[in-house]
Every structure is written in C-alpha cells, then in structure tokens.
Amino acid sequence: MKFFGIISVVGAIVFGALSVVAQDPNVIITGLDSITAESRDLRVNVVDKITNPINAASLGIKIGPTLLNIADTCRKITQEITVDPNTFPDDVAQDIVDALVAFVEVHQALLNAIIGKHGILAHIPGVGPPLAGILRTLEAVVDTFAFAIIALIPTQQNPAQEQLAHLDNTFSQAIAVYA
C-alpha cells in the first residue's frame, strides 16, 4: 500500500512540474525560436543552395525529413503547452506574438523558397512527389501548434490569428505547386 502512495505522490509532483513548465512563457518562446532557427537553417543551408538538377537530388533529399522533424518538434511543444492551459497576461502575450511573427516570416520564406525550386525538385524521385503530402502534414501540425498558442494569449488572439492566416495562405500555395 505504501508503494502506491509513493507512486501517487511522485505522479503529482511530476504533473505539477509539467504544469509549471507549461505555464512558463519561455517554453513557448524558446520553442518558437528553435523551430524558427531550424526552418531558417533548412532554407539557407539546403533549399537556397539548390541551383541545378545535379545538386538538387543530394540537397533536396534533406527537405522532407527536416520538415517532418519540424513537425515533430511542433507536436512536442504543443503537448508541453497544453498540459495546463492557463492564459498569459497581455505583456507576456505580446512577447509570444513577437516570436510567432518571426516564426511565420521565416516559414513563409522557407515555403516560398521551396515553391521557387519546384522546377528543379518536382521530378526528382523521393524529393518532389512526396513534398505535397509532407507539406500538408506540416501545415496541420503547425495549425494545431498555433491554435494551442493562441488559446493561451486571449489579449493577442487577433494579431496571432492574422499571422496564422498569412502562413496558411503560403502553405496552400506551396501545396498547390507540388500537388
């Protein structure tokens, strides 16, 4: 019996710790910054360097897995921030929106770069054809992630939703190009 009592106490402590972590706005901001950096790196170090069919295959093969890794990171952060969904005050919400704006701008630049490489990537087996599906997956995960964030920042919902609408538009364009 004492064993089950200890498990309950440990479980309560762990759950409480997760709630504290989830309510730390730095978890969201750092998470957004991390995903933003990974997206920027993908654009700068891979997509922008694709200049011809010769290097497109070796570089292009990195796009799908990196996009899926970004989706996994978004899922993990979404799980962290939905443990205890209490909202943040306006000053903190504004900091989160600032990080969200950078996230959206970098993702739009990445998606636009991927759109721009369609002529080179579209016909490379294992690269171009799967991109539409991968982009659909990423869009769904990013939407879930963004809505989880928006739920925590009620005073800044409108600016955050505007950013999400811009990103969704760019996702739609990218998906249409590769579909």
Side-chain angles (χ1 to χ4, degrees):
M1 285 299 201
K2 289 182 183 181
F3 177 74
F4 291 113
I6 291 170
I7 290 176
S8 297
V9 170
V10 169
I13 291 169
V14 169
F15 183 74
L18 285 173
S19 296
V20 170
V21 169
Q23 285 311 102
D24 182 353
N26 291 324
V27 170
I28 297 170
I29 294 168
T30 303
L32 283 165
D33 291 347
S34 170
I35 297 165
T36 300
E38 189 170 5
S39 297
R40 183 180 301 112
D41 289 348
L42 177 59
R43 182 184 55 79
V44 170
N45 297 324
V46 177
V47 179
D48 287 351
K49 291 185 178 184
I50 296 171
T51 57
N52 58 63
I54 295 169
N55 75 355
S58 63
L59 290 171
I61 201 75
K62 298 175 183 179
I63 296 171
T66 304
L67 292 174
L68 292 173
N69 188 56
I70 291 167
D72 286 342
T73 303
C74 287
R75 279 187 198 99
K76 288 174 188 170
I77 297 168
T78 301
Q79 290 170 349
E80 288 180 32
I81 65 176
T82 56
V83 171
D84 184 15
N86 290 321
T87 61
F88 294 109
D90 188 55
D91 60 329
V92 174
Q94 183 57 56
D95 292 340
I96 293 170
V97 169
D98 291 345
L100 184 63
V101 168
F103 170 88
V104 167
E105 289 172 351
V106 168
H107 274 80
Q108 285 183 297
L110 171 61
L111 292 169
N112 284 323
I114 291 172
I115 291 168
K117 301 299 179 174
H118 176 262
I120 297 174
L121 294 174
H123 306 292
I124 298 174
V127 177
L131 269 177
I134 291 169
L135 290 167
R136 281 187 200 97
T137 298
L138 181 60
E139 179 184 29
V141 172
V142 167
D143 281 349
T144 301
F145 176 53
F147 287 127
I149 292 171
I150 290 169
L152 298 175
I153 55 171
T155 62
Q156 294 293 322
Q157 282 185 348
N158 289 340
Q161 287 172 336
E162 280 180 33
Q163 292 301 312
L164 182 58
H166 294 305
L167 185 56
D168 281 343
N169 183 44
T170 309
F171 264 117
S172 294
Q173 292 170 11
I175 291 166
V177 165
Y178 283 92

